[in-house]
Amino acid sequence: MADVIMKHSKAVIALWLVVLVCALPFGIKSGDVLEYDMNSMSGSSTEASDGQAIIDEHFSNSIDLSEILVISYSSSEELAAAQAIFVEFQNLMDDKYGAKTTVSNYGTYSKGDPNVEGILMIAIANNEGESWDIAHETDNIRDLVKEAKSNASAAYPEAAGLTTYVTGNDAITYDTENSSMEDVSKVDPLSILLIFVLLGLFFYAVVTAVVPPAVVGMAYGIALAAVYAIGCLMGVYYITQTLILVSMLGAGCDYAIFIITRYRDERKKGLSHEDALKTAIMWGGEAVFTSGISVIIGFAALALCDFAMVRTMGIILAIGIAIALVAALTFIPSLLNLVKDKIFWPSNIESYKRVEDKVQNGGKLGVHGHLSKGSKRYFAWLSRNTHKHSKLIAIALVVLCIPGLYIFAESEDSADMISVMPDSESVDGLDLIMTQTDGGTIMPTYIVLEMNESIATVGSLSYSGMSIPYVIWNEHGLDPATMTGAVPAVMKMTKDIDAKYDIVGSISGLNSWQIMYMTVESALGTTDPSTINHVLYEQMPSAVKGYVGMILAIASEQDLTHIDPTAFDKPWNSYVVSGYPLTVANIIDGILNVGTGILSDDGQYVSVMVITTDKPMSADTMDFLAELRSDLHDGDESYDSVYSSIWSASYVAGSSASIDDMSKDIEDQFSMIRIVVAILLIVLLFFILGSYLTPIRSIITILLSVFLTVALTHVVFEGLMDTPVLFLIPIVLFVVLLGLGMDYEIFMTTKIRENKIKGMNNDEAIDNAIKEAGPVISLCALLMGGTFLTLVLANSSMLKELGFALGMGILIDGLLMVGYVSPALMHLMGDWSWKGPGFLTRRHGLNPDGSNMAVPAACGAVPADAERIGGEMPVRAVPATPEEVAKYKQECYSEVAVRQDRIAALNAEVKTLTDNKRIGRLDEEGEKELEAKRSELKAEKESLREFQRKSREDLRSGKGQ
C-alpha cells in the first residue's frame, strides 16, 4: 500500500477531488430527505403501528391535530375576542389555501370555568394528506394568525394582546427542523475551531491544524451524498446528520493526526522522507485501519435493529467513518508525499528537534517548548506511576465503578420525547395546552377494535351545503329489543376503564343517542322529551355540541341563527329530515361516532380515544399503557376474551404507544446487538493482536467507561437539570463508545505490541508506549470528546444528552481508561497480555507464551530463543548506575527500532520487485534495482546483527554505566 500511494500520490488526490465534485450536488440535497417525526420512522411492525395503520386506512373523519392554533384568554371579554380571531383566521385560511385545509373550532378548555379563563383550540386539518406538506406552511400560518389578530382588534381591542401559539405534530416537526439547522450552525464552527486550536498547539503549525479537518470536510461532503441516497429509500432521522459530522470530525481527525504524528516522529529520529512515510503508513496505518474497522463494526451493528430510525443511523454513521478512514489512509499519505515537511509550516523538523534539545538540555523555551516540556513530564510521570502503582489503580477502578454500576442498574431511562424537544413556539403551545386541559389532549391514546363483522351502515346526507354523517346500527351493533351488541359492549368497556384509572381524563368510545336517552330518562324519572333532550345536549363535548344543537334545531324546525335545544320535544326515534328514513338518533350517532373518528367508514373498526390527565410519554402514562394492554389482551378476564364474539383483535395506538413500543423493542433488540458488537470486536482484536486476553481486557475497560458515563449522565441531567435521560442515550452510547473508544485502546495496544516486536520486555514496552503514543492519544481524545461536547450548546435536550454522554465517555475512555487503567492492568498481566495461538503470535515476532521470539541482545534482554541470534545465551550485565544503563538501553531500543523499520521497508520493496520479476514486468533497470535492494537489505541485516553484538559486549564490559 505504501508503495502504491507514494508512486501514485497525485492520482489518488485527483480521484478524491473528482468523487467530491460528483457527490456535492446530491449532498446539498441531503436535508430534503431528513425526517423529524420519530413516529414516522418506526419501520418495525408493532401493536401501535398496526393500530395506526388501521386508523389511517379506515377512518376518514379522524380528528386531525397536525396543526393547532391555541389562543389563551383570561376573561369573558377575551374569550369573545378569541372567538373573533377564530372567525378572521378561518376566512384568511380559506382565502389562502381553499380546500387544502379545514379550520374548525376544537372547543374551549380550562382547569376552571371555561367562560372565565382557559384556551380556545382551533384545529387546522390538512385535507391533501401526504401529497401536501403543511408543516412547511407553519410560518405562513403564523403570519395569518397575526393578521387575524389585527383584523379582530378593530371590533375587539383585547384581541391584539392575546397570546397565540401554532402547535401540533406538524408545527413541532417544522420547529424541530429549524432548531436542528440552528444547532448545526452553532456546533459546526465551534467544533472546527476547537480542532484547529488543539492541533495548532500540538503541532505548533498552521498547515497541520488545517489539513485534518479539511480532509474530513471533503469526506463529509461525500458522505452527505450517501445520506441523500439512503434517505430516498428509507428516510433519515434528522439527528443523524449532526451525529455523522461530529463523529467524522472526531474519528477522521484522529486517524489523520495519528499518521501525521508518526511521520513527524520518524523524521525527528533521522529517517528520510520516504522511509518515514513508509513507516508511518505501515505501523500507523495498521493501527488506524484496525481502529476504523472497530468503529465501523460498532456503528454497522445498529443496522441490525428493525426500527428505521436506528437502522439508517447505523448505516450512515458506518459509511461516514469508512469514508473518513479511507481518506486518512490514502489522501493524507498522498498529501504528505507531495508537500513533505511543508505540512508542518511554519514549523519544520529541525525546529522540532531544536525544541526537544532545549527541553532535554536546557535553554530558552517558547510556547511550544513549554507545552512540549509539560507533556513529556506528565507522560513520564504517568509511565512511572502506572507501573509503580498498578495494583492501587486497579483497586481504585473497582471502588469507583461500584457506585457507577449501582446508578447504572437502578436508573430508569425515559421514553418522554416531549421533554427533550427543542424550545420553540410549538413546544410552548403544547405546554400551555397541558396546563389548561388534560395532558393527553393533543396526543391521545387510541384503543382500536377490529370487529368480527360490520356493526352499522354509514352514510351522509347533504344539508345546506354541509355533509352530515349518519349511522344505522345493525343487530351486531345495537339490538334495540335486547340492548346488546357492540355499542353497549364498548360503552361498558370505556366506562370500566374510566372508573379504574385516575390518569384517564376522558375516554370517547361508541355512543348511542338511544341508550343515552333511555339512561337519562331512567335517572330523571321523567318521560318528557324536552327535558331529556336538553340534559343530553348539555352533556355533549364542546367539539360536537354545536353540531348536535343544529340537528335538534332542524328536527324542531327552528331558525338556525337562534337555536334553542329545549324546543325539541320529540323522543329519540323521531324523524328529522323529510325524504330520509333517518331519526334524530341516526344523525346524532353519526356525528358522535363517525364525525369524531370513532367508527370507521365501513363500520368494521372502532377507535376509542383516551385522553390522559398526565402528559404524553411521561412515566405514569407509559405505566398506564402497560396496564391497559394487559387489561385488553392478557388472560381469560381480558376484554379480548370476554368480548371475543364482538371483536377479533384490539390494538393500543397513538404517539405514546408508538414510542413505548419503539423503546421496548429497541431495548430487546439491543440485548442481542450488544453481544454481537462485543464478539465481533473481540474476534477482530484477537486476529490483529494475536492475544487471548488483551481483546477481552479492552472490551471490559470500555464497558466500564459506558457504565460510568451513563451514571454520570443520569446524575447531571436527572439530578441537576431535572431532565429525564432518553432511552436512546445508553443504547447509542454503548455502540458508539465501543467503536470510537476502541480507537484509543488500539492505538495504545498496537504501540505496545510494536515495542514488544522490536525487542522490549512487557513493562518497558508499556512505559515507552505511554511516553510516545500517550500525547497523541490524549490529543485525539480531547478532539473527539470536545467535538461531541459542543452538542451541549444545542437547543434540543436529546442532542445535549447525546453530546454530553458521548463526549464524557470519550474523555473517560481516552484519558482515564487508556491513560491509567489499561497500562496498569497490562503491567499486572505481564506477558499474559500477549499469550495466544502460535500461528498468530509468530506473525508478530512473539512466542505463544507472550515472550519475544528474537529479543535484540543489544538491549541486554535475554531472548526466548537464543539460537535465532547466534545460539549464545547472553549474560545480563549488573549495572552500578541503573539510571545511566536504563538510558543506554533506551538508546539501543531506538536504534534497533530504526534499523528494523529500514529492514521492513526494504523487505517490502524487494517483495514488490520480486513479484514483478516473476510475472515478467521487470526490465533491465528493474533487475539492477532488485539486485541493489537485495544487497542493501543484506547489509542492513548484517549491520543490525553487528550492532546487537557490539551493544551486548558493551553492556557486558560495563560501557554505558
Side-chain angles (χ1 to χ4, degrees), residues 58-87:
H58 296 282
F59 290 80
S60 61
N61 290 322
S62 58
I63 299 173
D64 185 356
L65 298 180
S66 295
E67 296 260 354
I68 300 175
L69 170 59
V70 185
I71 307 175
S72 176
Y73 62 88
S74 56
S75 67
S76 57
E77 292 79 12
E78 289 188 352
L79 174 57
Q83 298 283 5
I85 293 173
F86 160 61
V87 174

Side-chain angles (χ1 to χ4, degrees), residues 92-313:
L92 291 170
M93 288 290 291
D94 286 342
D95 292 341
K96 184 173 181 64
Y97 297 111
K100 287 185 175 181
T101 62
T102 298
V103 178
S104 56
N105 189 333
Y106 194 59
T108 56
Y109 298 85
S110 174
K111 290 293 178 69
D113 184 353
N115 293 315
V116 176
E117 180 181 10
I119 57 173
L120 173 64
M121 292 175 58
I122 300 164
I124 308 166
N126 176 10
N127 298 329
E128 301 292 315
E130 295 183 359
S131 63
W132 184 57
D133 184 9
I134 193 174
H136 285 89
E137 295 294 322
T138 301
D139 264 350
N140 293 329
I141 292 173
R142 285 168 177 163
D143 290 338
L144 293 181
V145 172
K146 294 176 183 177
E147 187 176 347
K149 289 172 65 176
S150 177
N151 294 346
S153 63
Y156 297 89
E158 297 89 350
L162 294 184
T163 302
T164 60
Y165 301 97
V166 174
T167 184
N169 289 336
D170 282 341
I172 290 172
T173 295
Y174 176 77
D175 287 341
T176 301
E177 179 179 352
N178 285 343
S179 176
S180 173
M181 294 172 65
E182 291 177 9
D183 289 342
V184 170
S185 66
K186 287 190 300 186
V187 169
D188 289 0
L190 187 59
S191 299
I192 294 171
L193 178 62
L194 175 66
I195 291 172
F196 183 81
V197 170
L198 289 176
L199 290 181
L201 292 174
F202 183 80
F203 288 102
Y204 211 64
V206 174
V207 175
T208 323
V210 172
V211 166
V215 173
V216 173
M218 175 192 68
Y220 177 65
I222 297 171
L224 286 181
V227 173
Y228 177 76
I230 293 172
C232 290
L233 298 175
M234 58 184 74
V236 177
Y237 196 48
Y238 78 98
I239 282 180
T240 304
Q241 190 173 32
T242 304
L243 286 178
I244 189 176
L245 174 62
V246 177
S247 299
M248 289 182 69
L249 273 175
C253 287
D254 282 1
Y255 303 151
I257 292 164
F258 204 76
I259 291 175
I260 293 173
T261 302
R262 185 60 188 261
Y263 171 79
R264 184 193 65 173
D265 291 345
E266 298 304 324
R267 291 285 289 127
K268 284 159 60 177
K269 292 177 181 177
L271 265 66
S272 67
H273 161 74
E274 289 77 12
D275 290 341
L277 184 55
K278 286 182 179 180
T279 302
I281 296 173
M282 288 167 51
W283 290 103
E286 180 192 26
V288 166
F289 178 77
T290 306
S291 300
I293 294 298
S294 70
V295 178
I296 292 170
I297 288 173
F299 284 148
L302 294 173
L304 299 176
C305 184
D306 288 341
F307 284 86
M309 181 195 73
V310 178
R311 184 168 63 250
T312 56
M313 182 185 295

Side-chain angles (χ1 to χ4, degrees), residues 20 41 59 93 100 256 351 405 429 448 563 858 865 875:
L20 176 63
M41 300 202 64
F59 290 80
M93 288 290 291
K100 287 185 175 181
S351 65
L405 290 172
V448 181
I563 298 175
D865 187 353
V875 180

Side-chain angles (χ1 to χ4, degrees), residues 299-367:
F299 284 148
L302 294 173
L304 299 176
C305 184
D306 288 341
F307 284 86
M309 181 195 73
V310 178
R311 184 168 63 250
T312 56
M313 182 185 295
I315 293 171
I316 289 173
L317 289 176
I319 290 174
I321 295 299
I323 295 172
L325 174 64
V326 176
L329 290 174
T330 59
F331 192 96
I332 291 293
S334 296
L335 187 64
L336 279 170
N337 192 40
L338 294 177
V339 302
K340 298 182 173 60
D341 296 345
K342 293 185 180 67
I343 198 168
F344 303 113
W345 185 89
S347 295
N348 53 52
I349 299 301
E350 294 304 318
S351 65
Y352 288 139
K353 290 180 178 179
R354 287 195 297 270
V355 168
E356 288 201 358
D357 182 65
K358 290 178 181 179
V359 169
Q360 287 185 345
N361 303 316
K364 188 176 181 180
L365 300 176
V367 174

